[in-house]
Amino acid sequence: MQEHSKTTGDMNAHSPTPLTKLLGLFALEHIATDHYVGQSLDLGFRNLFGGHILGQALVAAGNTCDARRAHSLHAYFIRGGNPHAPIDYTVDRIRDGNSFSVRRVTASQAGQAILILSSSFQVDEPGFEHQFAMPDVPPPESLKATMTNDLAIDIRPVDPVDRYQPTKKDPVQHIWFRANGVVPNNPALQKCLLAYASDFSLLSTCLRPHGLTYYQPNMVTASLDHAMWFYRDFQIDDWLLYACDSPTTSHARGLNRGNIFSRDGKLVASVTQEGLVRQLVGERQPAG
């Protein structure tokens, strides 16, 4: 990851697109052994986008694991991040075994933890193979992007809802997405970008059966925790399908799951996330 960071910096100098800016932000500054600093990015949300912290934390963990590949991560969002302040990442090397390495990363701002991430890395080895089939959905070229071109990720939902006047739908959605430009063929970087992108739109799945979205002014939503498993190699600058469902909501929390498929039908990753989904009555109040 650190060698790639130099190439990313050169790319940013010549093509300051949203994607190359994001790639530059994934080039963390090495402060001391197992201590890195990353810069924030304001996407217009109330807090720093959770996927941004996930992606950078996975970069920090991967910088300490040599050639082993990330196969899973589990993260808790503790506080809302400040999108205008840098983030400190401290890595604890929990274990290095014959096949697996485990890392714990604490992301903090102003001395307060905003995320704790545990991740596991594995040597590459063969094994049994099976997977769910990819859902049959319209191709991405037939769909419209719902987010602006200011994002590094092109997002195209198959069955979108109106942001401010949504209708009730089943707690299922399918979303095509890809990076808004060319990404270097670096498997570690690809996974960090996928972690970043996996936080877009997933939480909205549990709101669909209630006819709500997180754009409505009386809704307070936030990612509480996020787990992810990586299975097969992919290219994030080619189309990926996010097949999402929500088994339940209860006690102002919603559970959301997603399988991510490459365009040729390979299951490349799975995601599970619980989010705060609080509808306010009267004056708006902060989450947490």
Side-chain angles (χ1 to χ4, degrees), residues 13 23 31 39 60-61 75 82 91 113 128 146-147 158 160 172 178 184 188 194-195 212 216 233 254 262 275 277 282:
L23 292 174
I31 301 299
Q39 299 304 313
N82 181 350
V91 182
F128 300 108
T146 58
M147 310 295 274
V158 172
V172 175
R178 68 176 177 183
L194 190 64
L212 299 169
Q216 292 169 293
D233 288 342
S262 61
V277 286

Side-chain angles (χ1 to χ4, degrees), residues 53-59 61 72-76 90 103-107 115-121 195 226:
I53 318 170
L54 278 176
Q56 287 187 333
L58 190 58
V59 170
S72 69
L73 64 84
H74 300 256
Y76 278 96
T90 303
R103 299 291 185 264
R104 181 174 59 230
V105 181
T106 302
L115 173 137
I116 294 176
L117 175 140
S118 296
S119 57
S120 182
F121 297 76
H226 196 101

Side-chain angles (χ1 to χ4, degrees), residues 243-259:
C244 306
D245 66 69
S246 175
T248 187
T249 57
S250 180
H251 300 285
R253 305 190 315 274
L255 181 63
N256 304 279
R257 306 180 300 190
N259 286 324

Side-chain angles (χ1 to χ4, degrees), residues 5-162:
S5 299
K6 297 178 181 178
T7 303
T8 300
D10 295 338
M11 292 169 57
N12 287 350
H14 296 91
S15 298
T17 66
L19 177 61
T20 53
K21 289 178 183 178
L22 178 64
L23 292 174
L25 294 174
F26 275 26
L28 304 181
E29 182 182 359
H30 187 199
I31 301 299
T33 301
D34 299 340
H35 181 194
Y36 302 87
V37 170
Q39 299 304 313
S40 297
L41 180 65
D42 187 357
L43 295 181
F45 303 133
R46 185 165 56 87
N47 295 315
L48 178 61
F49 175 54
H52 185 100
I53 318 170
L54 278 176
Q56 287 187 333
L58 190 58
V59 170
N63 282 346
T64 70
C65 283
D66 299 324
R68 297 187 176 191
R69 296 188 173 192
H71 73 87
S72 69
L73 64 84
H74 300 256
Y76 278 96
F77 295 94
I78 300 171
R79 293 180 178 85
N82 181 350
H84 305 288
I87 311 114
D88 282 283
Y89 295 95
T90 303
V91 182
D92 292 322
R93 305 189 186 214
I94 304 301
R95 182 177 185 268
D96 286 306
N98 292 331
S99 300
F100 294 89
S101 293
V102 177
R103 299 291 185 264
R104 181 174 59 230
V105 181
T106 302
S108 60
Q109 290 180 315
Q112 292 188 318
I114 60 174
L115 173 137
I116 294 176
L117 175 140
S118 296
S119 57
S120 182
F121 297 76
Q122 182 186 13
V123 298
D124 194 19
E125 60 179 286
F128 300 108
E129 291 273 349
H130 86 272
Q131 67 163 74
F132 282 174
M134 184 172 73
D136 185 14
V137 299
E141 292 83 3
S142 68
L143 306 171
K144 293 182 179 180
T146 58
M147 310 295 274
T148 70
N149 291 331
D150 293 335
L151 290 180
I153 306 296
D154 186 348
I155 301 171
R156 302 190 184 188
V158 172
D159 183 24
V161 297
D162 186 287

Side-chain angles (χ1 to χ4, degrees), residues 46-47 77-81 114 203 219-225 251-253 274-280 284-288:
R46 185 165 56 87
N47 295 315
F77 295 94
I78 300 171
R79 293 180 178 85
I114 60 174
L203 189 149
M219 290 298 302
V220 174
T221 62
S223 302
L224 296 175
D225 61 357
H251 300 285
R253 305 190 315 274
E274 188 176 52
L276 173 72
V277 286
R278 180 182 294 157
Q279 189 173 36
L280 299 179
R284 185 181 177 90
Q285 299 177 10

